[in-house]
Amino acid sequence: MVVTIGIPVYPGTNCDVDVYKAVKLAGASPKRIWYKDYKEMWKVDAIVIPGGFSYADYIRAGAIAARTKMTETIKELAEDGMPVLGICNGFQVLVESGMLPGALTVNKSARFICRWVYLKVVRNDTPFTQLYDEGEVIRMPIAHMEGRYIPSSGFNKRLIVLQYADSCGNVTEDANPNGSYMNIAGIISARENVLGLMPHPERASEDALGGSDGLRMFKSLIEYLRR
Amino acid sequence: MSRYKAMIYITLKEGILDAEGETVRRALISLGFDVSEVKSGKMYIIEFKCDKDPEEVVEKMCRHLLANPVVNNYKYELEEL
């Protein structure tokens, strides 16, 4: 079965080609879709919202993209159960559109951070993380200015899928690059079909890039869709 | 239809670390100013037309786009042009 993954492209998105290559490498058929062609999203099996600087991060990162017809369409599809993965700016779009709870705001250091980090896989019972072990420590790069996760009231800790950790998997203050609440790097929706994360799995999809831990995230999703 | 001008101020809610404000505070101290607190924010000056309650329109602009209720407070001044 051919699995088709839709990759929305907003003005200012710049990780769409990287995601395209990683999805292809993982064994699915990727399709980049310009935000005005939102109706094309009805034809895909899952959606990966890539990183970048949609609408130049004006107002708040992801705020304007979150209010486009493309994102409204993605929200409707997610409500019908379609898996949606949001990476970096894609995660910001997911919280701004209300598909995931909370907010992402300026890093504690007030600086743009671009480096590799260690992550602890808190949950491997999701469509996006099933090929990891529970508690496994993986490596991926982060590259963001607004990645500090702020929970909304009544936040459910069960939604945490990935946490910033040290190389041994200890979730410490020192391992928290941006000041996120509870070292949160990635959370899933209550319905468990929408995952947002600040790290870039597509930038860790082959050894030539410095690591391949991210590839399993795409492979997990594809395996889930084939089942 | 009347024309209005709104000055809208967006700030961070109390209790949410203002990383930009804190960086500015330290920079001002390094320049010799005796600064105890800096709060950063954004201001939008918006001219618009409407035939109903302009306050309601500005509220909607803030709630639908300009402010994020999880992290932001907003206030505004409104004048008829």
Side-chain angles (χ1 to χ4, degrees):
Chain A
M1 179 194 142
V2 178
V3 168
T4 306
I5 297 196
I7 304 165
V9 181
Y10 303 96
T13 296
N14 65 9
C15 299
D16 47 312
V17 175
D18 301 55
V19 169
Y20 179 96
K21 288 182 177 173
V23 165
K24 207 165 183 179
L25 199 60
S29 171
K31 202 173 172 199
R32 286 160 63 226
I33 300 169
W34 183 236
Y35 77 113
K36 286 185 178 168
D37 301 325
Y38 55 90
K39 285 178 183 153
E40 293 291 308
M41 278 300 170
W42 291 95
K43 299 176 193 164
V44 304
D45 301 307
I47 295 166
V48 179
I49 310 177
F53 299 85
S54 60
Y55 297 89
D57 284 350
Y58 289 156
I59 301 182
R60 296 171 305 279
I64 301 178
R67 288 153 180 88
T68 57
K69 280 197 168 138
M70 171 59 97
T71 307
E72 279 172 24
T73 304
I74 295 171
K75 195 172 180 177
E76 282 168 29
L77 291 166
E79 280 162 10
D80 285 345
M82 186 184 283
V84 177
L85 174 66
I87 301 165
C88 196
N89 191 223
F91 185 12
Q92 293 161 339
V93 170
L94 292 176
V95 293
E96 277 289 339
S97 64
M99 291 167 75
L100 288 173
L104 289 155
T105 190
V106 179
N107 297 339
K108 194 176 172 184
S109 62
R111 292 193 178 128
F112 190 95
I113 307 169
C114 181
R115 64 177 168 90
W116 285 76
V117 295
Y118 290 101
L119 303 167
K120 180 184 168 185
V121 180
V122 180
R123 287 183 57 180
N124 69 343
D125 60 343
T126 80
F128 313 92
T129 56
Q130 56 175 345
L131 296 180
Y132 297 102
D133 292 327
E134 191 185 324
E136 187 180 341
V137 180
I138 58 175
R139 270 178 82 245
M140 284 184 203
I142 53 168
H144 61 247
M145 177 81 185
E146 297 177 48
R148 177 163 52 109
Y149 185 79
I150 309 279
S152 42
S153 59
F155 178 76
N156 179 1
K157 286 170 189 161
R158 174 92 184 124
L159 304 183
I160 303 172
V161 173
L162 295 164
Q163 282 177 306
Y164 299 109
D166 64 18
S167 58
C168 301
N170 299 307
V171 178
T172 63
E173 180 89 28
D174 284 347
N176 190 342
N178 53 24
S180 282
Y181 172 73
M182 286 189 72
N183 285 43
I184 286 173
I187 57 164
I188 197 155
S189 61
R191 205 175 150 183
E192 304 186 348
N193 67 320
V194 179
L195 177 78
L197 77 164
M198 288 313 294
H200 286 270
E202 80 284 7
R203 294 189 194 177
S205 58
E206 48 187 322
D207 290 334
L209 298 173
S212 59
D213 286 343
L215 188 63
R216 268 184 290 161
M217 189 164 285
F218 300 103
K219 283 187 169 170
S220 293
L221 174 60
I222 293 162
E223 196 175 297
Y224 171 84
L225 292 166
R226 285 209 173 115
R227 218 179 286 145
Chain B
M1 209 176 304
S2 309
R3 287 177 60 233
Y4 300 92
K5 182 161 129 178
M7 308 266 273
I8 302 174
Y9 305 90
I10 313 287
T11 52
L12 280 169
K13 277 186 175 171
E14 211 58 54
I16 291 182
L17 174 75
D18 184 346
E20 186 178 343
E22 181 55 20
T23 304
V24 171
R25 187 184 71 86
R26 274 181 276 160
L28 286 170
I29 286 170
S30 76
L31 291 172
F33 295 101
D34 187 8
V35 177
S36 57
E37 191 175 22
V38 176
K39 284 186 176 169
S40 72
K42 282 198 175 193
M43 183 183 72
Y44 299 95
I45 302 167
I46 299 177
E47 288 184 23
F48 64 101
K49 288 180 197 163
C50 78
D51 53 10
K52 47 185 180 182
D53 181 8
E55 210 162 298
E56 199 177 296
V57 174
V58 175
E59 281 283 341
K60 273 190 181 162
M61 288 179 185
C62 290
R63 276 187 275 116
H64 289 183
L65 181 64
L66 303 176
N68 178 333
V70 180
V71 288
N72 295 138
N73 285 326
Y74 60 86
K75 61 178 184 179
Y76 50 85
E77 292 154 19
L78 196 57
E79 62 175 289
E80 191 168 349
L81 296 173

